[in-house]
Amino acid sequence: MTERKKALVTGGATGIGRSAVLALAGAGYDIAINYGSSKAAAEAVAKEAQGLGAKTLLVQCDVSNDAAVRQMMATIDASFGHLDALVNNAGTTATWKVKDLESLDMDEWDRTFAVNVRGTFQVSRAAVPLLKKGANPSIVNTASIVGLRPGPQPLPYAASKAAVVNLTKTLAWNLGPDIRVNAVAPGWMEGDWMERMLGEKYESLMTARAKATPLKRCVTADDVAEVMLNLIQSNRFVTGEIVVIDGGFTSST
């Protein structure tokens, strides 16, 4: 019997992380599911993944805390022994009033960068020894279209995702040829995240965006997970790339 591959998904309890966990589980991976505070949601997705045949490991950890990240990796090592894939999806954002720079709380700015950028680096760095013991190891980071094409999103979030884009390319250079590193850059995505960002205008703005998109809908978390899985399992000569997932919106405007 062929041993199942092993993966770690940070921010794996909800949204893109949840879809990534289930996609990997369905593809034959056992999954370490990292979460920050969403314990109930993490337990729920673990149960779903188990239903797909996966062994799961729940690991609570603030990815901005390097000591906690190192401990998380030790726990994964003890249980799995290696990793074949890492999905850096843990992320956060800040609040602000559009075009009002004074409305930004700089503590929120620091927190956003600590999780989105420093966290991505720290988890990647700590995972390297386990990934090097895996088969054709791959890292996929969650960037965003706003890291490539800024809009009304909070400045620290957009800037942090631009940093993730650069970090992805720099890590690919540093970790090759052993480990491939790519990122996905979703466009406007259906679900809770955009509901919080757009508030009462969610339905109208998402409908307008879908109409302006060549594929006539907005991206879903499952769309993103599908691309992540392809980058992990296929595309063996692709590294340092940022895959935009927006149904063609940015290419047509």
Side-chain angles (χ1 to χ4, degrees):
M1 181 177 177
T2 303
E3 182 184 8
R4 290 174 66 93
K5 293 184 177 181
K6 314 296 184 185
L8 164 62
V9 179
T10 69
T14 60
I16 292 170
R18 173 185 176 276
S19 289
V21 167
L22 297 180
L24 286 161
Y29 287 74
D30 292 332
I31 321 288
I33 304 169
N34 160 263
Y35 67 96
S37 58
S38 303
K39 182 178 180 181
E43 290 173 342
V45 72
K47 186 174 182 179
E48 289 184 80
Q50 290 162 14
L52 295 170
K55 174 184 176 181
T56 62
L57 175 66
L58 291 178
V59 277
Q60 192 281 331
C61 167
D62 178 351
V63 298
S64 72
N65 182 326
D66 191 48
V69 167
R70 303 277 186 178
Q71 181 57 54
M72 173 176 71
M73 222 56 69
T75 300
I76 294 169
D77 188 14
S79 183
F80 286 174
H82 74 276
L83 285 172
D84 303 285
L86 164 62
V87 175
N88 279 310
N89 177 67
T92 190
T93 189
T95 56
W96 83 316
K97 183 179 179 181
V98 177
K99 295 188 177 182
D100 180 1
L101 303 189
E102 295 295 340
S103 69
L104 277 170
D105 182 324
M106 297 313 295
D107 287 340
E108 287 193 37
W109 177 290
D110 291 343
R111 176 63 182 166
T112 300
F113 267 77
V115 173
N116 297 1
V117 186
R118 176 174 169 165
T120 295
F121 172 73
Q122 289 179 162
V123 174
S124 297
R125 179 175 64 179
V128 165
L130 288 178
L131 287 165
K132 285 187 174 181
K133 292 192 288 184
N136 300 310
S138 174
I139 297 173
V140 178
N141 299 325
T142 301
S144 170
I145 195 63
V146 304
L148 299 168
R149 181 179 175 172
Q153 291 78 9
L155 272 169
Y157 179 76
S160 74
K161 291 303 184 179
V164 169
V165 167
N166 182 278
L167 180 61
T168 297
K169 294 175 180 292
T170 306
L171 283 173
W173 187 89
N174 279 276
L175 297 180
D178 301 313
I179 302 169
R180 293 183 302 111
V181 188
N182 294 289
V184 295
W188 283 27
M189 193 177 76
E190 296 177 8
D192 293 345
W193 183 275
M194 287 303 293
E195 285 184 21
R196 292 195 299 271
M197 299 281 274
L198 300 177
E200 62 183 20
K201 295 182 178 179
Y202 173 79
E203 292 293 343
S204 61
L205 290 177
M206 292 292 282
T207 297
R209 178 59 64 104
K211 288 180 179 178
T213 298
L215 296 186
K216 300 304 178 187
R217 65 176 177 84
C218 293
V219 66
T220 67
D222 287 347
D223 293 328
V224 180
E226 179 181 52
V227 176
M228 287 176 161
L229 185 62
N230 285 336
L231 286 170
I232 289 167
Q233 292 197 306
S234 306
N235 303 296
R236 295 300 185 195
F237 204 61
V238 176
T239 193
E241 291 300 320
I242 315 301
V243 181
V244 174
I245 312 169
D246 70 349
F249 179 82
T250 51
S251 64
S252 62
T253 55

